[in-house]
Amino acid sequence: MKNIVILISGRGSNMESVVRASQAEQWPARIAAVISNKADAAGLAFAKASGIATAVVPSKDFASRAEFDAALAQAVDAFAPDLVVLAGFMRILTVPFVEHYAGRMINIHPSLLPDFPGLATHRQALEAGVARHGASVHIVTTELDHGPVLGQAEVEVLPGDTEATLAARVLVQEHNLYPRVIRAFIEGRPGAGSGTAA
């Protein structure tokens, strides 16, 4: 049985979708812990209610990113993860942290990478006038949002879309895409997460 540790910073809607899928589909893995850098992250309550161990490593308590990442790695490693899943974890991780989990840490990003890395992806998509937008799951590397893509889901950009309406449709696809890619990854089928959605 493989161990998955999920990192969140807020409400954790992608974390919820992963937890629900893992339980409903009886994955050959367990969500060993949900860890947040914020004590008031709403997703912690869902994790606790689901019987999942939780931990908080408050980023505000550390003087540097390096000190925080060292403490976070210690908390994560306590659960012996086979896979670390970033689900709305709003921190840029240091090189040593990323290298420590090389090949076993993944993230979901709200764009069709390599298009629109970084923040404000929905605004970037609208300003660029693209016809299709979406989400990507990728392996985390030391270059932000540039790791190998494991799967993507697309949505059509509609006339009159705003950042909010586009973000809402992309989020629906994220909730379908992330569990599918994670399950494929832990079952040794990393290519199985690929595909598109309307």
Side-chain angles (χ1 to χ4, degrees), residues 21-170:
S22 70
Q23 294 173 342
E25 299 168 9
Q26 298 183 317
W27 292 359
R30 69 186 187 103
I31 311 301
V34 172
I35 300 175
S36 177
N37 65 310
K38 295 183 178 181
D40 61 353
L44 292 171
F46 173 85
K48 289 175 183 175
S50 301
I52 298 168
T54 62
V56 177
V57 182
S59 48
K60 63 181 179 61
D61 290 355
F62 295 87
S64 69
R65 284 171 52 197
E67 290 173 340
F68 168 73
D69 280 9
L72 180 62
Q74 188 173 22
V76 170
D77 287 347
F79 297 96
D82 297 283
L83 179 64
V84 177
V85 171
L86 306 183
F89 186 68
M90 304 305 292
R91 297 280 301 181
I92 295 177
L93 298 163
T94 59
V95 170
F97 188 94
V98 172
E99 289 179 342
H100 181 63
Y101 299 105
R104 57 189 176 115
M105 181 162 59
I106 63 175
N107 182 47
I108 190 161
H109 181 76
S111 80
L112 297 174
L113 293 173
D115 294 341
F116 315 128
L119 300 175
T121 59
H122 309 304
R123 184 187 314 156
Q124 290 184 63
L126 290 171
E127 290 176 349
V130 296
R132 307 289 291 180
H133 187 45
S136 306
V137 178
H138 65 96
I139 294 175
V140 177
T141 63
T142 54
E143 188 176 0
L144 183 67
D145 298 331
H146 278 75
V149 172
L150 300 175
Q152 293 183 319
E154 295 184 2
V155 299
E156 184 180 358
V157 179
L158 302 176
D161 257 336
T162 64
E163 287 182 60
T165 59
L166 187 55
R169 289 206 311 286
V170 170

